[in-house]
Amino acid sequence: MYEGRPVFDGMEFRASAVSMRPRVEIGGEDFRVAYTLVMVDPDAPNPSNPTLREYLHWMVTDIPASTDDSFGRELTTYESPSPTMGIHRIVVVLYQQLGRGTVFAPQMRQNFNLRNFARRFNLGKPVAAMYFNCQRQTGTGGRRFT
């Protein structure tokens, strides 16, 4: 949720609407289970030429089931999406961890590879994922296909 507003797949946001860190609620009933939440931009810096893909915007680990992201360890602080060109997809993925304290922060935000990261820390397949679209504050129109 961004400022109390639920987020659904494919929603459109201006950069100003996602400037503050979202609140992400984690389901489940077993408090012994921990999750890792990752937010990336596969379209950075430009959807036509994504040379920084995937750009890591946020990472929180060790989130207990039935809580929200504030109960986890923020390994990579939230950096709001702020596209300068085009409409960017912002992808949020949730993984179940094998144990607490088993995931460590990456060195860089740009050229982050979510698939390799999940493999390295034995996160397996995502248990949940969603995306939204984000464009610069003064952007106009929707995606254009040629």
Side-chain angles (χ1 to χ4, degrees):
M1 281 198 251
Y2 276 103
E3 297 184 12
R5 182 177 174 195
V7 179
F8 301 100
D9 271 340
M11 285 183 78
E12 301 279 336
F13 287 99
R14 298 284 184 184
S16 62
V18 296
S19 63
M20 301 300 291
R21 184 174 106 173
R23 180 173 183 261
V24 179
E25 296 177 359
I26 308 298
E29 296 177 10
D30 188 349
F31 294 107
R32 297 170 294 177
V33 176
Y35 295 91
T36 293
L37 178 74
V38 182
M39 178 187 283
V40 295
D41 178 351
D43 298 322
N46 176 343
S48 300
N49 188 23
T51 58
L52 300 179
R53 100 165 40 149
E54 299 163 332
Y55 189 87
L56 178 62
H57 281 280
W58 191 33
M59 182 182 295
V60 182
T61 65
D62 299 332
I63 308 168
S66 297
T67 64
D68 63 44
D69 59 272
S70 67
F71 288 88
R73 275 187 325 136
E74 189 174 53
L75 295 184
T76 304
T77 57
Y78 181 74
E79 183 179 311
S80 63
S82 54
T84 57
M85 184 177 292
I87 299 173
H88 292 233
R89 296 165 294 162
I90 306 300
V91 180
V92 181
V93 183
L94 184 71
Y95 294 95
Q96 183 175 331
Q97 296 174 215
L98 293 178
R100 294 181 198 269
T102 59
V103 179
F104 300 97
Q107 299 296 317
M108 297 173 54
R109 289 182 185 259
Q110 68 270 15
N111 300 118
F112 178 77
N113 186 306
L114 188 53
R115 184 173 289 160
N116 289 346
F117 183 82
R119 191 176 304 125
R120 178 178 175 197
F121 292 103
N122 296 312
L123 296 175
K125 294 184 179 183
V127 295
M130 59 87 54
Y131 83 98
F132 60 88
N133 294 314
C134 185
Q135 65 179 305
R136 62 191 168 99
Q137 194 58 32
T138 57
T140 59
R143 290 194 183 275
R144 290 180 174 59
F145 299 95
T146 57

